[in-house]
Amino acid sequence: MSRVRQLTRNFDPKKYEPEILKFWDEARVYERLRDARKGSKRFHFLDGPPYPSSDMPHPGTVWNKIIKDSVIRFKRGEGYDVLDKPGWDTHGLPIEVMTEKALGFTSKKDIENYGIDKFVLKCKELATKNLKSMTGHFKEFAVSMDWDRPYRTFENEYIESAWWGVKKIWESGRLYEGERPVHWCPRCETVLSDYEVSESYKDLMDPSIYVKFRVRGSENEYLLIWTTTPWTLPGNVAVMVHPNEKYVKVRVGRDLLILAKARLEAVMKDAGIEKYEIVEEFEGRTLEGLKYEHPLEDLVSVQQRLKDEHRVVLSEEYVTMEEGSGCVHSAPGHGKEDFEVGMRYGLPVVSPVDERGRFTEDAGKYAGLQVREANNIIIEDLDERGALFHRGTVIHKYPVCWRCDTPLIIRTTKQWFVKLTDLREKLLEESGRAKWVPKWGGERRFRDWLLGLEDWIISRQRYWGIPLPIWRCESCGHVEVIGSAKEIEEKAGAKLEDLHRPWVDGVTWKCPECGGEMRRVPDIMDVWYDSGVSFFASVGYPHRNREVFQEIFPVDFITEGHDQIRGWFFSLLRMGTLLFNQVPYRSVLMHGFMLDEKGREMHKRLGNYVPPPEILKNVARDTFRFFVLTKVPWQDLRFSWKGLKEMERRLSVIWNVYVFATTYLRDRELGQLPPKEELDPVNRWVLSRLHSMMKRVRESMNEYHLHVASNEILSFLIDDLSHLYLRVARKKLRSKDRSVADQWGKVLFHVLRETLPYLSIFAPLMSEKIYLESFRGENDPDSVNFLLLKDPDDGMIDPELEDMMRHIRSIISASGFARSNAGIRKRQPLRELVVVTENDMVRRAVEVFKDVLVTEANVREVRLGEAPTDGKWAHADFSEGSVFLNLEMGDEEILGGLARELTRRIQLMRKELGLTIGLERIEVYVQGDEDVKRALERYYDEIAWDSDANVIKFISNEREVPGSSFGKEWEVDGRRVFIWVKKVE
RNA sequence: GGGCCCGUGGCUCAGACUGGUCAGAGCGCCCGGCUGAUAACCGGGAGGUCGGGGGUUCAAGUCCCCCCGGGCCCA
């Protein structure tokens, strides 16, 4: 037999939420839950590791974790053994830069003087401190991941897994060292990936100059080029023109200038020149091979070696008629497009700039200068040599370092690459294998991105990261790639406690080819490599947990914000395809960004950022969870205090549903549900709704339509239970007929009990509180988290019955409308409700749910019929017909109304005395007019039953009232009535 | 310049993949009611040419095209 206990009346999440969190922690609920599910079918969730750049997560990150948590809870409820390991992306430049700032460093030299070992330990310390603090914030929102056993990318085991991957790539022949122009931060002194660069462009003011390159062998003929980076001119080796555009030779003063016809007017306007004359017109392609003189060749030493190289080359892709002169200055050492075209023409690559962004000796006069500082000197030198056509400035978007804001440069360096370009097709195919929610996330956005794929630079010239496991012989260049710590031990006899730099840098061994010294390439790896291998490195594969990995690959579910299409979703796909020839995840849910109340991005520095503790100060944890989970996940979400308050009110209604129900159900024997055939239609209806709700929640959760599932349960609890079912049930639960009260009690209990585990997916704290305080039986587990989601039973779902109830609702609503138009209050019973309709289902509904109509419309009779033609009627229409209320008031109606008024007054007085219904009984004494007396006589039983009165006595003299009674004078419909209530001891 | 998403009553948003009971909900506002869920709850009302225009169709917030506005990504 099950029993329930009364639930605390006050909805006070501020009080119970911390208690529940503490209970979960102390009772090790999740740990035991994981143990309990061991051996069940597995569901592998993979956490996209957040970057611990701060001790406080962004509210959007909390949203992200809540989404994950709801899926994890749901799958646990379905009985799965869920892998719920959280992850942390701990390496990389942001942590390094923060550490540098904390130590007051400005360059790599400072780090090396300080000691790489100490520096790396500081980085680790910072990452650890932040991830611990962030963990605390996530736990506050009831995120039930395995916080004690996260994967962290700085752990030796993780690094070993990553190394194994590098070795495998090497063995597949895709790892190569190459020379390329790359984005470079002169402060951090490292290469940056395209992805890192695209993060931040800033408006910068730069020179905008037109320069004349004299055609070799001519007196006064020039190619006119345009550039905003004068410092790249020392690296110039060619001029690109468009083969299919018209070019012109123009006379300006004594000079003949060559430029694109389409740009002529704009250029002359820019330069403020009004007088010019076209002397010749030709196709761009005819310029191919035309040689010219570099204007600074006397100053730049490397240019003297290149005298015969400078010439015109063709490019359709990179010459635009949108800006410039149509003659594009090309420095293959300082531009990706230039490099590509240069390769095609076999042009030399010149990049006379060092890692700190200073010109090298090759740059002659400019050696030692910071490149951006050299701009003006170069411009003056051009002017002195008569090569400057026009000088201006421009404000344009220019890439800066995403961590330190230093303007980036492009310089050519040796880097390690992974060849990907030939994998484009395979990646596209694999990306199509994953289920994307929403569909367009994968289909359009992702595909577009994959089409622009290039080889991947995986080396970085920094300290805090996974060391690139490449060793090379200093004498013969022989290369070995290492896949584990054990290999290091075997080769070098070194046992490393920490696989990071600088400790790993000291490991050397003898070259098997020539006996020279094998030394590690000093680079570390791109952090996107770190998170990209998480699908196997998080479990330590292949050095550990091989069987587990076989079972869980590919992972079932990942979810991150839409910024991660090009980030983690892609890096996982890339690593999955490189190492296992397949996409490593089955389903991806792409979620939106959290915006502020005005729809702008939320940022600390914009000051519109709401720290998670601030949210907790104002609303319940479950409120925030429900708030975010009821929104369409893949759209951006607007933070809203108003919205949160509103959600909190809805949760308090749910709480009240349970309070109300337990008030009636407590201390009752609540056994098995009676067979369906014996049930009242309203009970059959509510059970049908219960199973429909469960079905819908299960289906939509499995589709990752979290908003559908969460709204479904809200509307079940609020619209169906609170607004309708409980109103009807209230009277039935107190029925004198034991079998009626019993049936309704059992059904209500059943419905609320089965709903609890469903509710706990979204509002785990509230569910737990209700479960522990009221619903947990003697043999039940000690936490709601252990409960399984009951499977929906199609046999219990009756769509027709649900439809009928919808009609009943509209009839009730129409009858309310008719009443309010006629000015008759709801408490006043009326004689008759006539429903006029042609719709068969409505007619059946009226028959089936007559009881509901009688109580909800407060009438004595309900019948189907024709529109009445005589008498006093109030009338209103609903979608399938009309309702008519008989307004004629006989004795029956007047006395009935009076009886309800009297009941209500007695109830108010009971309450004032603090008496509990069903527990304490009373005696009532009433003094009033003849109607009051008659109402009391006729409705004696009802009034006495409703108010738990042993006796109700109509008196003519006040002296008949016992001394200790509580008396009050009332006015009821213009009548004076005295009521006394006395508690029966 | 290219791609993607969004634009539904005063506010916040469902509905759009699978055209046809989809013009909805909550809040706010106005009117009324209920009263052992009560610093709650219930009913009703006003309010939207579903950003604009064109097209497909017997039928279009829903599909197609163009434009406008907002956002994101890329170049």
Side-chain angles (χ1 to χ4, degrees):
Chain A
M1 279 294 169
S2 321
R3 278 169 185 274
V4 298
R5 297 166 295 277
Q6 172 75 53
L7 182 63
T8 313
R9 289 195 174 276
N10 272 349
F11 176 54
D12 191 2
K14 286 219 166 48
K15 180 156 179 291
Y16 73 69
E17 286 192 337
E19 289 169 7
I20 298 285
L21 288 174
K22 199 168 154 224
F23 160 66
W24 285 346
D25 228 32
E26 286 174 356
R28 312 197 73 75
V29 164
Y30 292 114
E31 209 154 314
R32 287 190 285 122
L33 180 55
R34 277 176 209 111
D35 287 343
R37 292 281 193 274
K38 283 230 165 78
S40 309
K41 50 198 170 163
R42 275 196 152 118
F43 182 83
H44 187 20
F45 159 72
L46 180 63
D47 189 28
Y51 197 88
S53 55
S54 145
D55 56 2
M56 176 81 70
H58 189 279
T61 313
V62 177
W63 176 26
N64 163 283
K65 281 290 195 283
I66 289 173
I67 289 176
K68 292 169 176 173
D69 185 61
S70 71
V71 172
I72 290 170
R73 285 178 186 275
F74 169 68
K75 280 293 169 187
R76 281 199 207 113
E78 282 199 324
Y80 285 88
D81 175 8
V82 180
L83 260 111
D84 54 4
K85 193 188 261 292
W88 298 98
D89 194 8
T90 55
H91 285 139
L93 210 42
I95 298 266
E96 284 199 44
V97 172
M98 276 185 273
T99 305
E100 282 185 78
K101 274 193 183 144
L103 295 168
F105 293 171
T106 55
S107 74
K108 274 171 140 180
K109 203 172 213 111
D110 293 334
I111 296 172
E112 307 214 341
N113 289 340
Y114 176 72
I116 298 174
D117 53 347
K118 280 194 280 176
F119 182 74
V120 161
L121 288 175
K122 284 269 184 208
C123 288
K124 184 172 181 175
E125 194 182 305
L126 177 63
T128 307
K129 180 182 133 266
N130 282 345
L131 74 84
K132 274 191 182 147
S133 164
M134 283 172 90
T135 298
H137 290 288
F138 293 143
K139 281 169 100 167
E140 276 293 310
F141 285 87
V143 178
S144 63
M145 292 186 188
D146 197 354
W147 296 112
D148 293 336
R149 276 170 292 276
Y151 73 84
R152 295 176 298 182
T153 56
F154 65 54
E155 285 167 7
N156 280 345
E157 292 167 17
Y158 197 95
I159 293 174
E160 280 194 89
S161 291
W163 281 358
W164 169 81
V166 179
K167 185 172 181 183
K168 195 156 179 207
I169 294 171
W170 168 254
E171 284 165 355
S172 73
R174 292 185 173 279
L175 184 62
Y176 67 93
E177 192 180 29
E179 207 173 20
R180 286 291 160 84
V182 293
H183 280 284
W184 186 273
C185 175
R187 195 215 70 92
C188 299
E189 294 175 50
T190 182
V191 62
L192 295 174
S193 70
D194 287 348
Y195 186 85
E196 288 166 310
V197 172
S198 71
E199 291 285 280
S200 42
Y201 278 75
K202 268 204 170 159
D203 279 321
L204 285 187
M205 191 177 350
D206 272 319
S208 162
I209 58 172
Y210 293 92
V211 184
K212 301 187 293 187
F213 288 179
R214 189 201 309 272
V215 174
R216 201 166 277 280
S218 80
E219 265 301 304
N220 58 349
E221 265 186 57
Y222 300 92
L223 292 157
L224 187 69
I225 65 100
W226 174 72
T227 184
T228 57
T229 50
W231 64 267
T232 59
L233 286 172
N236 173 278
V237 293
V239 168
M240 292 191 284
V241 303
H242 197 291
N244 306 326
E245 291 287 340
K246 287 263 186 278
Y247 281 75
V248 288
K249 199 177 279 178
V250 182
R251 187 186 306 281
V252 179
R254 295 187 52 239
D255 295 340
L256 289 169
L257 305 178
I258 297 168
L259 70 162
K261 190 181 181 192
R263 296 299 308 158
L264 176 61
E265 210 173 308
V267 170
M268 291 306 159
K269 199 177 159 206
D270 218 9
I273 288 172
E274 283 161 16
K275 274 186 68 180
Y276 56 90
E277 177 196 355
I278 298 178
V279 295
E280 211 182 324
E281 187 171 322
F282 40 85
E283 293 239 312
R285 65 177 70 255
T286 61
L287 292 168
E288 187 175 18
L290 185 67
K291 299 221 167 174
Y292 66 90
E293 293 166 13
H294 192 283
L296 301 173
E297 66 183 26
D298 58 322
L299 300 176
V300 178
S301 37
V302 69
Q303 286 296 344
Q304 282 152 24
R305 300 202 297 271
L306 300 171
K307 271 188 175 161
D308 291 330
E309 299 287 350
H310 301 103
R311 63 197 146 136
V312 173
V313 298
L314 303 180
S315 167
E316 278 181 60
E317 317 90 290
Y318 303 122
V319 178
T320 167
M321 293 298 128
E322 305 294 323
E323 58 181 13
S325 61
C327 295
V328 179
H329 144 60
S330 177
H334 297 301
K336 296 190 181 196
E337 295 84 359
D338 310 44
F339 182 83
E340 190 189 316
V341 175
M343 285 293 105
R344 230 157 43 211
Y345 279 90
L347 297 175
V349 176
V350 181
S351 187
V353 176
D354 70 10
E355 59 276 5
R356 301 180 68 182
R358 296 183 184 180
F359 280 113
T360 60
E361 291 306 319
D362 273 351
K365 174 182 176 186
Y366 307 112
L369 287 173
Q370 280 288 338
V371 293
R372 292 181 65 85
E373 287 165 13
N375 274 343
N376 279 334
I377 303 172
I378 290 171
I379 293 169
E380 276 157 29
D381 288 340
L382 288 169
D383 203 11
E384 270 176 30
R385 280 157 187 74
L388 189 66
F389 177 67
H390 177 70
R391 168 183 196 168
T393 55
V394 65
I395 292 173
H396 60 165
K397 295 250 182 268
Y398 191 86
V400 298
C401 178
W402 62 302
R403 289 324 309 170
C404 67
D405 269 0
T406 307
L408 300 180
I409 59 175
I410 293 179
R411 65 187 281 264
T412 298
T413 59
K414 278 196 170 174
Q415 299 291 342
W416 287 86
F417 290 79
V418 175
K419 188 168 174 55
L420 291 177
T421 39
D422 59 328
L423 271 182
R424 208 173 278 153
E425 282 308 311
K426 177 65 180 168
L427 286 167
L428 277 169
E429 187 190 323
E430 285 302 320
S431 80
R433 278 186 153 60
K435 175 188 168 73
W436 283 80
V437 183
K439 236 164 48 183
W440 48 261
E443 277 180 0
R444 296 202 269 276
R445 281 196 170 185
F446 206 34
R447 301 190 84 81
D448 288 348
W449 158 249
L450 288 175
L451 289 172
L453 192 72
E454 285 180 20
D455 285 355
W456 174 24
I457 309 171
I458 60 166
S459 48
R460 294 289 183 280
Q461 291 69 49
R462 296 293 307 186
Y463 309 97
W464 176 235
I466 296 183
L468 198 58
I470 302 174
W471 271 258
R472 180 159 45 195
C473 173
E474 288 187 328
S475 346
C476 75
H478 170 68
V479 168
E480 286 182 26
V481 177
I482 294 308
S484 69
K486 209 170 130 207
E487 275 181 58
I488 289 187
E489 212 181 318
E490 284 165 6
K491 289 195 189 288
K495 209 171 161 76
L496 290 173
E497 266 182 42
D498 189 323
L499 301 181
H500 284 97
R501 294 190 70 184
W503 303 283
V504 72
D505 297 341
V507 175
T508 58
W509 61 83
K510 223 181 212 177
C511 173
E513 304 286 320
C514 73
E517 194 170 48
M518 298 290 290
R519 239 178 213 294
R520 198 182 72 83
V521 167
D523 297 343
I524 59 166
M525 298 184 68
D526 177 10
V527 284
W528 284 108
Y529 186 93
D530 297 31
S531 57
V533 297
S534 58
F535 66 92
F536 63 93
S538 61
V539 296
Y541 182 87
H543 311 299
R544 296 158 194 85
N545 294 320
R546 287 186 91 102
E547 340 63 54
V548 175
F549 178 73
Q550 302 298 350
E551 203 184 328
I552 61 179
F553 178 80
V555 306
D556 290 297
F557 175 63
I558 58 173
T559 178
E560 300 300 330
H562 49 56
D563 55 327
Q564 296 302 326
I565 287 177
R566 289 153 180 84
W568 194 56
F569 297 157
F570 170 63
S571 74
L572 284 178
L573 170 69
R574 178 166 59 188
M575 293 314 301
T577 308
L578 279 169
L579 299 176
F580 297 88
N581 210 31
Q582 82 180 89
V583 60
Y585 41 83
R586 294 179 207 271
S587 301
V588 191
L589 169 63
M590 182 185 95
H591 68 73
F593 274 7
M594 184 168 284
L595 309 177
D596 75 358
E597 304 206 63
K598 291 181 184 127
R600 295 167 310 183
E601 249 191 285
M602 230 186 227
H603 276 303
K604 266 181 201 169
R605 59 181 152 78
L606 290 179
N608 59 354
Y609 164 92
V610 184
E614 174 99 11
I615 298 171
L616 292 182
K617 242 191 272 167
N618 289 285
V619 293
R621 291 151 176 84
D622 285 337
T623 300
F624 184 70
R625 291 176 60 105
F626 248 117
F627 176 76
V628 297
L629 290 171
T630 48
K631 303 285 191 262
V632 182
W634 47 87
Q635 283 179 20
D636 290 347
L637 184 156
R638 242 188 232 205
F639 185 89
S640 161
W641 287 114
K642 238 175 101 182
L644 283 167
K645 287 287 175 204
E646 185 187 324
M647 183 56 76
E648 185 126 310
R649 275 198 293 279
R650 296 174 81 185
L651 291 197
S652 84
V653 173
I654 293 176
W655 180 266
N656 279 331
V657 165
Y658 278 91
V659 169
F660 173 86
T662 56
T663 307
Y664 286 100
L665 294 179
R666 60 180 187 178
D667 304 324
R668 278 195 204 204
E669 294 294 330
L670 301 158
Q672 287 295 306
L673 219 47
K676 201 173 141 190
E677 308 74 53
E678 291 173 20
L679 294 175
D680 184 286
V682 178
N683 282 328
R684 289 211 311 272
W685 167 79
V686 79
L687 290 170
S688 173
R689 285 293 306 128
L690 171 70
H691 285 267
S692 298
M693 179 277 284
M694 298 193 296
K695 190 173 178 179
R696 193 94 195 279
V697 170
R698 296 284 279 267
E699 285 170 357
S700 29
M701 285 304 289
N702 276 313
E703 291 290 313
Y704 304 109
H705 289 184
L706 313 181
H707 64 304
V708 175
S710 51
N711 279 305
E712 185 71 20
I713 196 162
L714 275 186
S715 107
F716 174 67
L717 282 165
I718 295 175
D719 298 336
D720 293 331
L721 286 185
S722 176
H723 293 178
L724 188 62
Y725 182 76
L726 287 185
R727 293 166 62 84
V728 179
R730 174 191 261 171
K731 292 166 190 86
K732 303 287 188 179
L733 287 165
R734 303 196 65 231
S735 172
K736 280 177 238 180
D737 185 337
R738 282 291 301 268
S739 72
V740 171
D742 190 56
Q743 179 194 116
W744 286 74
K746 284 173 174 170
V747 171
L748 178 58
F749 169 73
H750 176 82
V751 167
L752 292 178
R753 175 63 163 64
E754 298 305 344
T755 301
L756 270 183
Y758 279 86
L759 182 63
S760 79
I761 298 169
F762 310 104
L765 294 155
M766 182 187 214
S767 312
E768 182 75 301
K769 176 68 177 169
I770 296 171
Y771 175 73
L772 292 179
E773 190 164 302
S774 297
F775 278 76
R776 184 187 166 208
E778 270 177 34
N779 298 316
D780 287 336
D782 66 346
S783 165
V784 73
N785 292 297
F786 288 93
L787 302 185
L788 292 172
L789 298 171
K790 192 187 172 70
D791 289 330
D793 175 359
D794 279 331
M796 295 300 282
I797 298 176
D798 186 341
E800 199 180 348
L801 202 61
E802 294 191 23
D803 270 350
M804 288 202 275
M805 189 57 99
R806 269 192 282 277
H807 292 307
I808 295 299
R809 280 183 206 257
S810 51
I811 292 172
I812 293 169
S813 149
S815 131
F817 184 41
R819 253 179 203 272
S820 78
N821 283 343
I824 297 176
R825 64 171 163 239
K826 212 179 156 196
R827 217 179 310 146
Q828 176 62 56
L830 292 175
R831 184 170 290 178
E832 191 180 31
L833 170 71
V834 180
V835 179
V836 181
T837 179
E838 298 293 313
N839 183 320
D840 273 345
M841 187 184 278
V842 178
R843 297 176 77 87
R844 260 180 293 141
V846 171
E847 296 295 344
V848 170
F849 292 116
K850 198 165 243 175
D851 277 1
V852 178
L853 288 176
V854 165
T855 47
E856 288 306 298
N858 194 15
V859 290
R860 287 174 29 230
E861 288 283 337
V862 173
R863 67 178 170 87
L864 290 158
E866 300 299 313
T869 48
D870 56 338
K872 263 182 81 186
W873 296 86
H875 135 268
D877 294 330
F878 66 105
S879 61
E880 302 298 328
S882 321
V883 297
F884 292 84
L885 281 171
N886 193 331
L887 300 180
E888 271 162 63
M889 298 282 205
D891 243 19
E892 205 53 49
E893 286 72 38
I894 292 168
L895 297 183
L898 208 45
R900 297 222 9 205
E901 295 292 343
L902 291 171
T903 308
R904 188 189 143 216
R905 300 318 197 270
I906 297 168
Q907 299 283 47
L908 282 174
M909 292 176 70
R910 276 192 67 111
K911 205 174 167 189
E912 237 173 292
L913 288 172
L915 304 178
T916 310
I917 201 92
L919 214 68
E920 285 132 326
R921 304 195 59 85
I922 53 171
E923 287 172 4
V924 182
Y925 302 87
V926 182
Q927 202 173 29
D929 67 8
E930 193 58 23
D931 279 346
V932 172
K933 187 179 178 197
R934 287 176 60 217
L936 271 180
E937 279 163 6
R938 183 161 321 184
Y939 291 96
Y940 187 88
D941 284 352
E942 280 88 338
I943 301 174
W945 176 262
D946 282 342
S947 55
D948 277 353
N950 283 354
V951 64
I952 304 174
K953 212 167 167 189
F954 187 82
I955 53 171
S956 46
N957 193 319
E958 214 176 299
R959 272 174 304 193
E960 294 174 53
V961 179
S964 55
S965 301
F966 170 53
K968 216 164 177 177
E969 182 184 345
W970 297 92
E971 197 187 299
V972 182
D973 293 339
R975 298 178 172 87
R976 210 149 244 239
V977 182
F978 290 89
I979 302 175
W980 291 267
V981 172
K982 181 180 190 306
K983 185 179 168 196
V984 176
E985 299 302 333

